[in-house]
């Protein structure tokens, strides 16, 4: 699965990013604090969803902030684990002084 396969929507009313799969709806809940975005919870529809799909979803959400001044704080354990795994690629999205 490539990044181009995903149709991610930002549901601002529910404050979550959404991606519909055959298995159900993947979501990342967030809190927007102006210059910081807290990614608070990753919701998976089932255990059947592939790790690759989950990682591509998280990566695409993060890429939306690549060229912005907004910093991302992964407070969800699963998203923090993703940040740690891909530390070099996404460390510039973290606020100053934060390491994972």
């Amino acid at each position: 699965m490539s990044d181009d396969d995903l149709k991610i929507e930002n549901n601002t009313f529910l404050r979550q990013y959404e991606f519909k799969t055959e298995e159900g709806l993947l979501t990342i809940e967030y809190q927007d604090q102006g210059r910081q975005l807290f990614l608070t919870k990753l919701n998976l529809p089932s255990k059947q969803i592939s790790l690759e799909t989950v990682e591509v979803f998280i990566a695409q959400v993060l890429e939306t902030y690549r060229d912005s001044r907004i910093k991302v704080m992964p407070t969800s354990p699963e998203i923090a684990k993703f940040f740690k795994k891909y530390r070099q690629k996404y460390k510039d999205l973290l606020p100053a002084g934060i390491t994972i």
Side-chain angles (χ1 to χ4, degrees):
M1 170 175 286
S2 73
D3 290 2
D4 297 332
D5 296 335
L6 294 181
K7 300 266 189 271
I8 294 175
E9 292 188 28
N10 182 357
N11 184 331
T12 55
F13 180 73
L14 294 177
R15 292 187 309 267
Q16 65 186 18
Y17 286 96
E18 301 174 342
F19 171 56
K20 293 180 180 129
T21 68
E22 292 178 7
E23 292 84 12
L25 184 67
L26 274 82
T27 64
I28 295 176
E29 296 176 16
Y30 64 85
Q31 291 180 352
D32 187 348
Q33 302 292 328
R35 301 188 107 210
Q36 284 190 349
L37 185 80
F38 291 81
L39 302 178
T40 58
K41 189 173 184 185
L42 173 67
N43 297 302
L44 305 177
S46 70
K47 299 286 185 195
Q48 305 298 330
I49 195 117
S50 76
L51 178 60
E52 178 189 9
T53 300
V54 173
E55 287 191 348
V56 170
F57 173 50
I58 295 170
Q60 190 162 337
V61 168
L62 293 177
E63 287 300 325
T64 63
Y65 294 95
R66 178 68 65 195
D67 296 324
S68 74
R69 293 180 162 217
I70 296 172
K71 296 299 183 182
V72 178
M73 275 297 300
T75 57
S76 159
E78 299 89 353
I79 298 172
K81 185 177 175 182
F82 177 87
F83 259 88
K84 193 170 194 172
K85 182 175 180 180
Y86 298 101
R87 180 179 296 128
Q88 293 303 313
K89 186 172 183 177
Y90 296 107
K91 68 182 178 183
D92 60 314
L93 294 178
L94 293 171
I98 301 296
T99 56
I100 293 184

